[in-house]
Amino acid sequence: MNRRSDSIWSPTYTLLIVVNFFQSMAAQIANTAIPLYARSLGITTASIGAIVASFTITAIAIRPFSGPAFDSFPKKTLFFGACLISMIAMVLYSFAASTETLFAVRLLHGVGIGCAAPLGMAICNQVLPPSRISSGISIYMLAFTVAQAIGPAFAVWFTQSVSYQSTFIISGCLLAVACVLVLFLRVPEVRNRPRYQIRLNRIFAKQAVITATVLFLLSAAMSATGSFLVIYGMLAGVNDIGLYFTVSAVCMLITRPLFGRVSDNKGTTTVFVPAVICFAVSYAIIATARTLPTFLVAAVVGACGFGICAPLLQALTFKMVPQQRAGAASNTTYVGLDLGNLLGPSLAGILVDFLAPVSGSELAAYSDMWLALIVPIVAGLVFYLSQLKKIRHNIEKMEASRS
């Protein structure tokens, strides 16, 4: 393959990254603003938690219907529709003024994001050369990383400078721009698209179940960081604990493209195994952290962990399936991510409550919780290694069919 055909960069791929950034920025702003807005309305903490969780519940519930559609209908059209639903939901947030209405709009928003994320990934796979999938997916996901680093700060600034309603409208405008940009995508036509049917083998791609399971175990552990790290840092008396997320995001901007290229050249396992080990080590560091520098060391190590694992596993999934099944494969991996993000924080919280009387203090209980979360991380690595022969067989079979 010549240098030009082996390049990941094309107008469509560049537009996809920009669309992903605008979508991610809008989502991060909403995720930060909604709890604050709900609290200003006098909504109880328990209800706020239910409102936030409903987003993931809907994203999971839509997958049995969306998975077959991703491969049966033009992905560009569906992608536009998903962005449009997210934009409508964002505008509706500004009119919601009760627990019920916020809950309903959050459900609608879950449908939009639940479809947009795997569709964007599937389209990305279509426009990337097969030899550069890992690099391309890693760089594509950097848009989310940047939004994750700056989105919450923008949300706080907007809510304090203007109003909650205006903040949601601004986010809606970001999504409106994303909708327009989607219209300019040039997505290759997939031949012999299957007829739309809601069947188990159309909802999920069996080759992707392996990577989805690993993603479930890793994301269940990772989700505790966003949910409890700030609380843990405050209990430890650490100021500016939010810098953990900034340092982590900056490090991922550097490491993701680098390790994505290494994965393309040396194989996924060469990078994945050390990345999982880094992920586990970062939690061991967090468990003993009592100062900001120690937390920041954990952020650097962790950036070489889950931040690397997620795009590698999603890229690996696309190597095992034909183009006609890319939508279902992407949908399958996101089921693993969604389930991990849904169950992880709840189980971690239950674990802290259970350990508090045994550990002697809330701070010690959180420390033990971080150590306990190394178990699903190691389980993910063990499961991956146990399925390595099957993974290699699937890749070889797919490469043979494409040649």
Side-chain angles (χ1 to χ4, degrees):
M1 186 175 289
N2 60 42
R3 183 179 298 272
R4 182 177 179 83
S5 63
D6 198 41
S7 173
I8 64 174
W9 296 104
S10 66
T12 293
Y13 177 68
T14 304
L15 276 179
L16 275 171
I17 293 175
V18 177
V19 169
N20 191 24
F21 174 73
F22 281 122
Q23 284 189 123
S24 300
M25 272 294 289
Q28 290 298 317
I29 291 172
N31 290 344
T32 303
I34 287 170
L36 298 174
Y37 177 50
R39 186 180 180 188
S40 73
L41 296 174
I43 296 174
T44 65
T45 302
S47 296
I48 292 174
I51 290 169
V52 174
S54 63
F55 170 86
T56 307
I57 293 171
T58 315
I60 294 173
I62 194 66
R63 301 219 182 277
F65 308 97
S66 62
F70 293 164
D71 292 321
S72 296
F73 304 108
K75 291 182 179 63
K76 176 178 173 178
T77 303
L78 295 176
F79 196 31
F80 176 83
C83 291
L84 185 63
I85 290 173
S86 296
M87 184 193 74
I88 293 171
M90 201 65 67
V91 174
L92 290 177
Y93 279 130
S94 64
F95 296 99
S98 67
T99 301
E100 294 76 16
T101 52
L102 274 174
F103 190 85
V105 177
R106 191 68 170 161
L107 290 174
L108 178 65
H109 193 188
V111 173
I113 293 296
C115 292
L119 277 168
M121 192 73 70
I123 294 173
C124 194
N125 169 64
Q126 280 188 249
V127 302
L128 287 169
S131 62
R132 301 295 303 280
I133 288 292
S134 295
S135 298
I137 295 295
S138 295
I139 293 173
Y140 172 76
M141 291 184 69
L142 285 179
F144 173 79
T145 302
V146 174
Q148 192 176 39
I150 66 177
F154 272 94
V156 173
W157 185 79
F158 284 144
T159 57
Q160 293 176 347
S161 301
V162 283
S163 66
Y164 290 109
Q165 287 74 18
S166 297
T167 299
F168 294 129
I169 294 297
I170 291 170
S171 296
C173 290
L174 292 176
L175 288 165
V177 174
C179 286
V180 173
L181 293 179
V182 168
L183 297 176
F184 291 93
L185 295 176
R186 298 183 63 182
V187 182
E189 181 65 25
V190 176
R191 297 179 179 179
N192 302 320
R193 282 199 300 259
R195 185 166 57 90
Y196 180 76
Q197 293 177 310
I198 301 177
R199 289 170 22 193
L200 189 62
N201 66 340
R202 293 294 314 283
I203 296 170
F204 303 110
K206 64 179 181 179
Q207 300 93 328
V209 172
I210 296 172
T211 48
T213 302
V214 179
L215 280 168
F216 164 70
L217 291 167
L218 298 184
S219 64
M222 182 61 190
S223 61
T225 303
S227 301
F228 299 112
L229 187 81
V230 172
I231 297 174
Y232 176 61
M234 292 172 64
L235 288 171
V238 175
N239 295 322
D240 300 322
I241 188 63
L243 285 174
Y244 174 96
F245 299 100
T246 303
V247 170
S248 178
V250 170
C251 288
M252 277 192 278
L253 286 173
I254 300 170
T255 57
R256 273 186 174 174
L258 172 64
F259 288 111
R261 180 177 289 274
V262 173
S263 176
D264 283 329
N265 294 332
K266 302 295 184 180
T268 300
T269 303
T270 304
V271 179
F272 180 76
V273 174
V276 176
I277 293 172
C278 285
F279 187 16
V281 170
S282 73
Y283 271 22
I285 297 172
I286 291 173
T288 60
R290 296 295 183 270
T291 63
L292 182 60
T294 310
F295 275 103
L296 298 185
V297 170
V300 174
V301 176
C304 298
F306 185 80
I308 303 299
C309 294
L312 285 181
L313 287 170
Q314 288 168 318
L316 181 64
T317 301
F318 291 128
K319 294 178 182 179
M320 295 189 290
V321 298
Q323 285 286 3
Q324 296 91 337
R325 300 287 287 152
S330 183
N331 192 58
T332 305
T333 60
Y334 271 93
V335 169
L337 282 169
D338 289 342
L339 285 174
N341 290 329
L342 180 64
L343 298 177
S346 299
L347 295 176
I350 291 171
L351 189 59
V352 170
D353 289 339
F354 174 78
L355 291 172
V358 180
S359 302
S361 69
E362 189 177 8
L363 178 62
Y366 272 102
S367 292
D368 292 340
M369 180 266 286
W370 296 115
L371 291 175
L373 289 177
I374 295 176
V375 173
I377 297 173
V378 173
L381 177 58
V382 171
F383 181 76
Y384 173 84
L385 293 174
S386 71
Q387 300 296 311
L388 199 53
K389 185 176 180 180
K390 185 179 292 186
I391 291 171
R392 287 171 175 165
H393 172 74
N394 289 335
I395 292 176
E396 289 171 0
K397 182 179 179 181
M398 196 50 51
E399 288 178 345
S401 68
R402 288 170 179 167
S403 61

